[in-house]
Amino acid sequence: MSGTSEALTPPTDAVAPIRHPDAPAPGELLGAHYDQCFGCGGAQPHGLHLEARAGEGVSLTAEFTVRSAHQGAPGLAHGGVLATALDETLGSLNWLLRTIAVTGRLETDFVRPVPVGTVLHLEAEVTAVAGRKIYSRATGRIGGPEGSVAVRAGAVFIEVKVDHFVDNGRPQEIRAAMEDPDQVRRARAFEVNP
């Protein structure tokens, strides 16, 4: 990112991220962490339906198609939707660490407009870990995975316990997620976002 703030600079005692041994294999589709998630959930009619695939190390690639429901200015993606796509992509990295974490800070650079109908190709990686803080960055391109940079972001995620969601979420959704018989879906439901 150009002009990265001090808050996104890992401290000198930060360590390199370590991919969890049970993380999805490179190339494997991560799937939605929660069906109702606006970023990746299939049950959201106007959601992004972002699809992420595990990469090498602690990295991934993702894609989403900008639809009419995602407009800000006529024919162009809303900046908030693009920031959401970056946040969702960066948050998905935490599944490769098998860490429950929430967005602590997200800084976004909007480089060029993204037209409706465009596929945004995203790539993201965790750059460092310091205590409960996870530092990461992402880039979104149009015109293909090697196309023009449209958006960039840097983020800090904060590791939390599942109590964070239980104490702050709406009880009926929390109960439904915790009662899901699928252990992976149950674990992933609480993986990202504040």
Side-chain angles (χ1 to χ4, degrees):
M1 251 179 75
S2 62
T4 300
S5 76
E6 189 175 317
L8 295 179
T9 303
T12 55
D13 62 346
V15 297
I18 299 172
R19 182 189 189 100
H20 193 278
D22 295 330
E28 188 175 326
L29 188 64
L30 299 184
H33 76 90
Y34 177 55
D35 202 36
Q36 294 294 321
C37 175
F38 182 78
C40 65
Q44 289 291 337
H46 298 297
L48 304 185
H49 303 157
L50 188 133
E51 292 188 343
R53 290 189 180 279
E56 298 292 333
V58 188
S59 71
L60 59 77
T61 58
E63 291 183 358
F64 102 92
T65 301
V66 178
R67 297 177 307 182
S68 293
H70 304 143
Q71 291 182 83
L76 296 174
H78 189 287
V81 168
L82 297 176
T84 300
L86 289 159
D87 184 45
E88 184 68 30
T89 301
L90 290 159
S92 295
L93 288 165
N94 297 316
W95 186 238
L96 301 177
L97 299 170
R98 288 297 205 266
T99 300
I100 298 173
V102 296
T103 310
R105 183 177 193 93
L106 176 69
E107 292 185 15
T108 307
D109 288 332
F110 299 96
V111 179
R112 62 177 24 92
V114 179
V116 169
T118 299
V119 175
L120 188 65
H121 299 269
L122 298 132
E123 56 187 14
E125 66 177 339
V126 175
T127 59
V129 176
R132 294 177 46 226
K133 293 183 178 182
I134 301 165
Y135 295 83
S136 54
R137 63 180 170 222
T139 302
R141 297 174 183 273
I142 57 176
E146 304 299 321
S148 301
V149 172
V151 291
R152 284 188 292 262
V156 176
F157 281 79
I158 310 298
E159 182 178 355
V160 296
K161 302 294 182 207
V162 75
D163 292 351
H164 170 86
F165 301 95
V166 172
D167 294 344
N168 296 292
R170 201 164 68 161
Q172 58 264 41
E173 280 89 354
I174 297 297
R175 193 169 32 260
M178 293 187 87
E179 292 172 356
D180 190 324
D182 185 309
Q183 288 183 327
V184 172
R185 274 198 319 252
R186 187 170 56 236
R188 290 207 60 208
F190 300 103
E191 112 185 349
V192 294
N193 296 329

